[in-house]
Amino acid sequence: MSQFATGITVITAGGERGHGMTANAFSSVSLDPPMVLCCVSRAARMHDAILSAKAFAVSILGAEQQEMARYFADWRRPRGLAQFDAVDWFPGPHTGSPLLSGSLAWVECNLAEVYEGGDHSIFLGNVVSSKRGTGPHALTFFGGDYHQVGPDVRATA
């Protein structure tokens, strides 16, 4: 799967079990109604955080947020909402889930369905809010490393 280039997000949930997690298993599902999905290991703290909050948010990271991606992938960071003390964030207006400042876009979701997917759960969310940031370049993951992509990078025929 390292040959499949993906965008990088940080999925968050607020509430008592507030948590954040770097993820690239995120996708748009439907435009009408607007829905997205994310996949989370059932062994991850994020799994229980989403179930507890019954909502989640997604911050789509920009190219300059590589350290943010590494931070939320590091299991040594503080637990709970204390992990957000080290980053600039704001609460989502609809779910209260932390949204990371400087991201390319933000999506807030109410949890609609949970499906089993091997050792992961597939969380389907109804989008209740979305907003676009101003950054021009996205953070991607390919071949085991981070890369940047933007409107000035085009595929060749």
Side-chain angles (χ1 to χ4, degrees):
M1 295 310 295
S2 69
Q3 294 308 109
F4 183 64
T6 63
I8 302 296
T9 69
V10 172
I11 299 168
T12 58
E16 289 180 16
R17 296 185 178 190
H19 190 65
M21 177 187 91
T22 299
N24 60 356
F26 166 76
S27 182
S28 172
V29 173
S30 171
L31 296 176
D32 188 16
M35 300 177 90
V36 299
L37 69 76
C38 64
C39 300
V40 179
S41 169
R42 285 197 291 277
R45 286 181 270 173
M46 189 77 241
H47 192 274
D48 289 341
I50 292 174
L51 290 176
S52 175
K54 296 185 178 22
F56 63 93
V58 181
S59 295
I60 299 171
L61 300 188
E64 68 286 348
Q65 292 179 299
Q66 183 174 330
E67 288 308 311
M68 183 93 61
R70 290 186 191 281
Y71 175 77
F72 281 100
D74 187 345
W75 59 270
R76 297 169 295 187
R77 70 186 181 285
R79 289 181 176 243
L81 293 176
Q83 67 193 280
F84 296 99
D85 292 347
V87 300
D88 189 19
W89 67 279
F90 57 97
H94 297 277
T95 66
S97 298
L99 300 173
L100 304 179
S101 299
S103 295
L104 290 180
W106 303 270
V107 179
E108 285 185 277
C109 301
N110 287 329
L111 185 59
E113 298 286 340
V114 182
Y115 300 99
E116 288 189 28
D119 59 358
H120 282 58
S121 287
I122 303 161
F123 292 106
L124 184 64
N126 290 318
V127 176
V128 295
S129 173
S130 64
K131 187 175 179 182
R132 185 178 184 158
T134 60
H137 294 92
L139 184 64
T140 61
F141 199 76
F142 174 75
D145 203 3
Y146 292 102
H147 301 276
Q148 297 180 17
V149 106
D152 53 337
V153 178
R154 300 280 184 232
T156 57

